[in-house]
Amino acid sequence: MFELDGVNVLKHSSIKIQKEKVIYIDPFQIDIPAHDADLILCTHSHYDHFSPDDIKAVAKEDTVLITTEDCKNEINKTGIYEENVHYCKPYETFNFEGIIIETIPAYNKNKPYHPKSKEWVGYIIDIDEHRYYIAGDTDKTKEACAVKCDVAFLPVGGTYTMNYVEAAALASKIEPKYVIPTHYGSIIGEPEDGILFKELIDTSNTKCEIYY
């Protein structure tokens, strides 16, 4: 399970990947300030994904932040130096000290909450030849279905994103080695959605790990 070493889903969609560098994605409801982030990635400006207080809780002096352009007006609240902030749109690639980060469109197809026109993102993080896909707040889109990855973090709570049935269908389509459900059980979705999602995963191709 090398791909999952150092991986943790903290709460909701808040993910920490600790390899040679410490990476947070959408830090949220951080209980104890860690100030250990080398890199922070935020998928879009909604409060449960771009939280200045929680970014500040994990950031240190040289932390780099990659986020979408609609977060620009709140950057001064994060404590991160402006020169360390990079704004992104879909289909961009960043190289952070040898770690390759790709941005993937994240949007709703039949819901109004995450329109494609906002140019919000998910991320693929390539570390040591392993690819980690953080889908962000998205439906099962053609772009998501084209992702190639080893580990996929997929929202399963429904309403604002895929529900667990749709997320399981996406996992079946892209067949990562591991899939991890997120975005359920607190703000949206039921606590059992992760278990229901896991029951739909074809374990002959993909293993499902539940972190909360």
Side-chain angles (χ1 to χ4, degrees):
M1 291 178 62
F2 175 81
E3 294 91 344
L4 297 187
D5 288 348
V7 168
N8 197 12
V9 180
L10 305 175
K11 291 181 181 179
H12 191 53
S13 292
S14 180
I15 298 163
K16 183 177 183 179
I17 300 176
Q18 188 165 1
K19 300 290 186 177
E20 63 267 31
K21 299 292 183 181
V22 176
I23 304 171
Y24 286 85
I25 304 94
D26 291 346
F28 184 60
Q29 295 183 344
I30 301 297
D31 294 326
I32 301 173
H35 301 299
D36 60 347
D38 295 299
L39 176 64
I40 299 172
L41 308 176
C42 292
T43 57
H44 63 295
S45 60
H46 287 165
Y47 77 95
D48 52 332
H49 296 267
F50 182 86
S51 167
D53 287 343
D54 291 298
I55 291 171
K56 187 179 290 187
V58 301
K60 53 193 178 76
E61 183 149 352
D62 60 349
T63 297
V64 170
L65 170 64
I66 300 175
T67 190
T68 51
E69 292 187 4
D70 57 325
C71 299
K72 189 172 292 187
N73 290 338
E74 298 286 299
I75 289 297
N76 65 325
K77 299 179 182 178
T78 67
I80 294 181
Y81 294 122
E82 187 174 344
E83 59 266 29
N84 287 343
V85 178
H86 304 278
Y87 297 104
C88 68
K89 295 180 179 181
Y91 304 115
E92 293 186 332
T93 301
F94 298 85
N95 186 328
F96 176 75
E97 299 186 22
I99 298 170
I100 306 302
I101 300 109
E102 303 170 43
T103 57
I104 306 297
Y107 60 92
N108 294 141
K109 296 191 293 184
N110 301 306
K111 300 184 281 285
Y113 308 108
H114 302 88
K116 190 173 185 179
S117 60
K118 289 286 191 180
E119 297 189 297
W120 290 335
V121 301
Y123 293 97
I124 296 175
I125 306 169
D126 195 322
I127 308 174
D128 294 336
E129 299 182 351
H130 294 95
R131 290 165 61 83
Y132 301 81
Y133 173 44
I134 296 90
D137 279 9
T138 190
D139 286 333
K140 180 177 174 281
T141 66
K142 63 180 181 180
E143 294 90 349
C145 288
V147 164
K148 304 297 182 185
C149 65
D150 299 293
V151 181
F153 300 83
L154 303 182
V156 304
T159 303
Y160 304 110
T161 70
M162 298 177 279
N163 60 33
Y164 66 87
V165 175
E166 294 163 331
L170 175 58
S172 177
K173 177 71 174 178
I174 64 177
E175 292 189 340
K177 295 178 183 177
Y178 301 96
V179 64
I180 299 167
T182 65
H183 209 275
Y184 70 96
S186 55
I187 294 173
I188 198 67
E190 300 300 326
E192 60 268 24
D193 284 348
I195 296 171
L196 294 171
F197 169 76
K198 185 173 184 175
E199 290 175 351
L200 296 176
I201 298 301
D202 180 356
T203 56
S204 63
N205 297 313
T206 299
K207 294 180 174 59
C208 180
E209 297 290 334
I210 297 176
Y211 281 80
Y212 65 84

